[in-house]
Each structure stands twice: as structure tokens, then as C-alpha cells.
Amino acid sequence: YRISIDRSLCNGHGVCEAIAPDVFELGADGLAVLRTALSGDEAVQEACDSCPMGAISIARVEAA
């Protein structure tokens, strides 16, 4: 998955970090930041679907 966060929508609920901590974390400002913009972790889809603000976008990318 290619992952992005629209930080203007993020309210720092931390759901993404709880579901996929290897991919997401809350920054010093309390908003979500990416640990990596690419991940094969299936939890990324759940984190995207679970974001209460709809701040996370993902796109499937094919393995090279």
C-alpha cells in the first residue's frame, strides 16, 4: 500500500497508531504521521477504514 495522511483532517484520535503502530504514530503536535509511506501490512486497510476523520488514504501498489 502507498499511504498518505491529510493532516488538515486529522484530529489525533490515534486509532491508526493503535491498529498499525509500525506504520503510524502520533507526532509531537498530537497528529498522525507516517513511519513509512509504503507498507504491505494488511492492518493499513483497517486503519484507513477506522479513521474517524477519513484522514488516511491508501492505494494498492504492485510488488516490483
Side-chain angles (χ1 to χ4, degrees):
Y1 299 100
R2 183 177 316 278
I3 310 140
S4 62
I5 300 172
D6 183 339
R7 289 176 47 86
S8 70
L9 295 176
C10 180
N11 278 349
H13 291 280
V15 175
C16 56
E17 182 181 42
I19 294 171
D22 291 339
V23 178
F24 303 96
E25 66 182 338
L26 295 183
D29 61 359
L31 301 179
V33 293
L34 292 172
R35 292 175 166 261
T36 180
L38 293 172
S39 176
D41 187 345
E42 291 296 322
V44 169
Q45 178 71 58
E46 182 182 352
C48 179
D49 293 343
S50 299
C51 178
M53 303 308 294
I56 302 169
S57 298
I58 61 172
R60 270 193 191 269
V61 293
E62 296 299 318

